[in-house]
Amino acid sequence: MSKKFNFPKRIDNDVAETGVLFAVKDEYGNDWGSYLIKYFDLTSTRGQLMIKRVRSRYLQKIRKGEMTEVELGKEILITELISDWKLPKEITGKANIPYSHSDAREFFNDSDSEWLVETLISFSKDITNYAPVEDAAGEILDNPVKN
């Protein structure tokens, strides 16, 4: 942080750490659920530490060629970026399944959800999704739903 320059604030840190609720629909209007997802800044110290932490968990698999960069990206999404979800009954076949890393791995490793992984990672990297959102009265909203 510079003492000489006063840079504008680009992000609400609380929103970035807590995450925002992202409601996902595909190009045909199908509901793919809502995801509480944190900001993923590849250039920040926080983002670099996140990558390093996940990479260190799987270092042996990566060295042996048993884990690709795509799989590592999914693991970052599952363990670091998403903290909750609400999946529609059309996908689960029953009531909502609570978010867990094991269920998320099964869900995101299905080939039908590959586009969703890319959509969620792209959303998490877009800084404009983590700016403060105000209601009509000027109050900051907690966890606003983004579409």
Side-chain angles (χ1 to χ4, degrees):
M1 177 175 262
S2 175
K3 292 182 181 185
K4 187 174 183 178
F5 302 102
N6 186 22
F7 296 111
K9 187 174 180 180
R10 297 179 61 229
I11 190 167
D12 182 318
N13 288 326
D14 292 335
V15 172
E17 286 292 322
T18 304
V20 294
L21 198 58
F22 178 34
V24 181
K25 293 194 184 293
D26 67 17
E27 57 275 12
Y28 302 107
N30 297 311
D31 183 5
W32 284 77
S34 298
Y35 304 83
L36 185 58
I37 189 163
K38 298 174 186 174
Y39 179 53
F40 187 29
D41 181 5
L42 298 170
T43 62
S44 71
T45 302
R46 180 183 156 273
Q48 291 297 314
L49 289 173
M50 183 186 301
I51 293 168
K52 186 176 180 179
R53 182 172 49 248
V54 174
R55 189 179 295 277
S56 70
R57 282 186 220 141
Y58 298 97
L59 196 54
Q60 292 303 321
K61 281 187 166 189
I62 293 167
R63 284 185 179 158
K64 291 178 183 177
E66 296 172 358
M67 180 176 246
T68 66
E69 289 296 315
V70 170
E71 291 167 326
L72 183 65
K74 282 183 190 179
E75 198 59 26
I76 291 169
L77 177 69
I78 291 165
T79 62
E80 303 290 331
L81 299 177
I82 296 175
S83 57
D84 200 8
W85 66 10
K86 182 167 177 48
L87 300 176
K89 288 181 184 176
E90 294 79 16
I91 289 177
T92 63
K94 56 183 175 184
N96 189 47
I97 296 172
Y99 186 77
S100 71
H101 293 166
S102 61
D103 284 336
R105 283 185 190 98
E106 182 178 346
F107 183 76
F108 291 119
N109 283 327
D110 190 295
S111 61
D112 286 336
S113 70
E114 287 177 4
W115 74 273
L116 181 60
V117 170
E118 290 300 317
T119 299
L120 292 170
I121 290 173
S122 293
F123 179 90
S124 72
K125 290 161 90 176
D126 184 348
I127 195 169
T128 61
N129 293 321
Y130 299 90
V133 176
E134 297 179 358
D135 64 12
E139 297 292 320
I140 300 292
L141 298 174
D142 291 331
N143 293 323
V145 175
K146 302 277 184 161
N147 295 331

